[in-house]
């Protein structure tokens, strides 16, 4: 048996900095507050719709009237940025997702109203992707033998992005993961005299099981195959930096890593590789897992949400897109 050695600490005692709450707050390295948060919304064509999403407690698909009302209330809590996802009219899903670019679509109409009601007090970001608008549920154009065509998908994506910009979106955020879409969208925005519209790239988007609840919300589950031929393989971190830097070269103003919690190393790597603003998307499955555990009394929701959001900020994210935003601010959890 080894002899037990008892040592006393040296001059350095890290606990001194933790002794009181005031001291801890004074030396805290990271913070999260309302200005860092972006709230996602699912907008449907029926103006008065308010359909709870069963797998995402507290989140609903809303029509224009309700979503505008909700965003107005959220503004009072300090949420100054929203990310809008759309949905076509009933029967509006087609092979090429053309409804995505309709000037009278749910997202386009909502952008117009939000800009009219809230002007520059609110940052309106729109998701640009075809999967909620295609009958097969893929993010691009699908061939009969099940391939998602890259270059052919750029045209409908570009049209969608320009339609959002024309409707008043401050920021368009392509989430499709086609190669070359950032350059194509930037050129088209400039040609359409939308040179002030920002381009936030979902540059690093992994093929993740954490999108499960979202697909119920957006009704966008692929009818055949999966998204692994365009979304990233989560075994890869170096490739994530390549994706990010390529989008910087193509003209992105702002980058995103998605999901957030299993990818804190990737957030850190992208943060160090680029000087652009960087958002992290705390996705539906990350939200639903916390909600389910909290509903069972297995986790303290307030404390877990604070810890998750601070962890994402500490990893290097400037903003966090999160369904927890309203609860966190209302409950003063941060
Ligand atoms: C679609 C899209 C997805 C999310 C945002 N845009 C899902 C997917 O790729 O299947 C995920 C958001 C979430 O899970 O909260 N391009
Ligand atoms: Zn998609």
């Amino acid at each position: 048996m080894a002899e037990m050695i008892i040592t006393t600490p040296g001059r350095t005692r890290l606990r001194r900095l933790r002794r009181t709450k005031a001291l801890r707050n004074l030396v805290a390295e990271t913070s999260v507050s309302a200005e860092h948060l972006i709230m996602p919304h699912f907008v449907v064509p029926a103006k008065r719709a308010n359909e709870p999403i069963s797998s995402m407690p507290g989140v609903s698909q809303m029509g224009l009237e309700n979503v505008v009302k909700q965003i107005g209330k959220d503004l009072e809590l300090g949420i100054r940025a929203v990310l809008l996802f759309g949905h076509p009219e009933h029967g509006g899903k087609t092979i090429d997702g053309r409804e995505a670019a309709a000037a009278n679509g749910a997202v386009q109409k909502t952008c117009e109203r939000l800009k009219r009601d809230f002007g520059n007090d609110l940052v309106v970001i729109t998701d640009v992707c075809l999967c909620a608008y295609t009958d097969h549920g893929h993010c691009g154009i699908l061939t009969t033998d099940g391939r998602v065509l890259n270059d052919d998908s750029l045209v409908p994506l570009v049209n969608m992005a320009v339609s959002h910009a024309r409707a008043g979106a401050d920021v368009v955020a392509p989430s499709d993961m086609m190669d070359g879409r950032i350059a194509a969208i930037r050129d088209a925005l400039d040609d359409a005299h939308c040179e002030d519209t920002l381009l936030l790239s979902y540059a690093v988007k992994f093929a993740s099981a954490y999108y499960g609840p979202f697909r119920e919300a957006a009704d966008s589950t692929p009818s055949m195959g999966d998204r692994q031929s365009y979304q990233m393989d989560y075994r890869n971190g170096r490739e994530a930096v390549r994706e990010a830097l390529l989008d910087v070269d193509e003209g992105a103003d702002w980058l995103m890593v998605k999901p957030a919690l299993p990818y804190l190393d990737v957030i850190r790597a992208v943060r160090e590789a680029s000087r652009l603003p960087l958002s992290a998307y705390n996705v539906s499955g990350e939200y639903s897992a916390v909600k389910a555990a909290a509903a069972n009394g297995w986790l303290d929701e307030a404390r877990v949400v604070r810890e998750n959001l601070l962890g994402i900020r500490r990893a290097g994210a400037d903003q966090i897109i999160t369904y927890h935003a309203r609860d966190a601010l209302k409950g003063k959890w941060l």
Side-chain angles (χ1 to χ4, degrees), residues 175-197:
S175 67
D176 52 282
M177 290 299 279
M178 299 302 128
D179 285 320
R181 89 259 210 228
I182 297 301
I185 292 172
R186 183 71 269 163
D187 286 349
L189 289 172
D190 292 352
D191 286 346
H193 307 289
C194 297
E195 63 279 347
D196 285 336
T197 307

Side-chain angles (χ1 to χ4, degrees), residues 85 127 129 131 139 175 202 205 210-211 214-215 227 231 258 281 283-284 323:
F85 292 91
D127 182 87
C129 195
C131 51
C139 304
S175 67
Y202 282 70
K205 180 176 178 184
Y210 281 96
Y211 305 150
F214 172 94
R215 291 184 188 171
R227 303 204 204 287
Q231 298 181 348
K258 171 184 176 188
Y281 199 146
V283 301
S284 57
Y323 306 95

Side-chain angles (χ1 to χ4, degrees), residues 37-52:
L37 303 180
I38 300 170
M39 182 79 188
H41 293 278
F42 301 99
V43 195
V44 294
K47 286 202 166 54
R48 297 184 193 288
N50 195 350
E51 282 292 318

